[in-house]
């Protein structure tokens, strides 16, 4: 998802694209991988020292709710990244730096066979480890 698509999605859901919201979108658009709220706050404090933690967390959860950001949990902390909406894929996530690599393989064919009598509403498949740079 790019910034313009994200802004359109905000507006479609009845939200304004304020300057702070655009700053948050720019941060995630420029990030390669998952980032924490703390990472975002550090970035925003460089631009404006009056950053409200409540505003940051509220917007992160709003972006996740409307589909702009996706989340995962690493080391007991919620991490966010710009949603990948162009094709179905999964991620390898580096436990140290949070960078991601797309994985084109999806285990759902096997899972669907194993759960033939079950109704599946969705899935999330992630692999964790260390990227070549962090090893």
């Amino acid at each position: 998802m790019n910034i313009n698509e994200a802004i359109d999605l905000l507006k479609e859901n009845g939200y304004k694209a304020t300057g702070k919201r655009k700053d948050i979108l720019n941060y995630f658009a420029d990030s390669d991988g998952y980032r924490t709220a703390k990472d975002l706050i550090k970035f925003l404090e460089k631009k404006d020292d009056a950053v409200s933690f409540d505003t940051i967390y509220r917007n992160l959860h709003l972006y996740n709710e409307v589909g702009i950001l996706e989340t995962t949990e690493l080391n007991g902390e919620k991490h966010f990244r710009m949603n990948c909406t162009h094709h179905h894929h999964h991620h390898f996530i580096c436990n140290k730096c949070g960078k991601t690599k797309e994985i084109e393989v999806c285990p759902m064919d096997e899972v669907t066979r194993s759960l033939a009598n079950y109704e599946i509403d969705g899935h999330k498949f992630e692999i964790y480890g260390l990227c070549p740079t962090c090893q």
Side-chain angles (χ1 to χ4, degrees):
M1 176 173 296
N2 66 41
I3 294 172
N4 291 329
E5 291 170 326
I7 290 171
D8 289 345
L9 196 52
L10 274 177
K11 291 178 181 177
E12 288 170 17
N13 283 277
Y15 298 97
K16 294 180 181 177
T18 63
K20 188 69 73 188
R21 285 184 174 158
K22 288 179 183 177
D23 288 343
I24 294 170
L25 291 174
N26 281 318
Y27 173 74
F28 283 102
D30 292 341
S31 296
D32 178 23
Y34 284 91
R35 299 291 177 252
T36 66
K38 292 176 194 171
D39 296 331
L40 173 61
I41 290 167
K42 285 179 193 173
F43 169 77
L44 292 174
E45 284 177 339
K46 291 177 188 173
K47 295 182 74 169
D48 177 13
D49 59 358
V51 177
S52 163
F53 295 115
D54 289 341
T55 299
I56 299 305
Y57 284 100
R58 208 171 31 253
N59 279 295
L60 289 173
H61 291 287
L62 166 66
Y63 289 174
N64 178 245
E65 187 177 299
V66 299
I68 294 170
L69 296 179
E70 55 187 55
T71 65
T72 193
E73 193 154 318
L74 292 169
N75 304 317
E77 187 174 14
K78 194 168 259 195
H79 286 61
F80 302 85
R81 70 170 268 138
M82 197 68 95
N83 200 350
C84 306
T85 58
H86 300 291
H87 65 283
H88 181 80
H89 65 275
H90 300 283
H91 294 117
F92 169 88
I93 304 168
C94 181
N95 285 321
K96 188 171 182 182
C97 70
K99 287 186 180 178
T100 61
K101 177 169 177 38
E102 288 185 11
I103 302 168
E104 299 300 329
V105 176
C106 180
M108 285 308 292
D109 290 337
E110 180 62 33
V111 171
T112 303
R113 281 192 293 277
S114 296
L115 298 172
N117 296 323
Y118 293 81
E119 181 179 327
I120 299 170
D121 293 328
H123 71 281
K124 186 172 187 175
F125 178 68
E126 298 171 336
I127 297 175
Y128 303 95
L130 295 175
C131 70
T133 304
C134 293
Q135 289 181 26

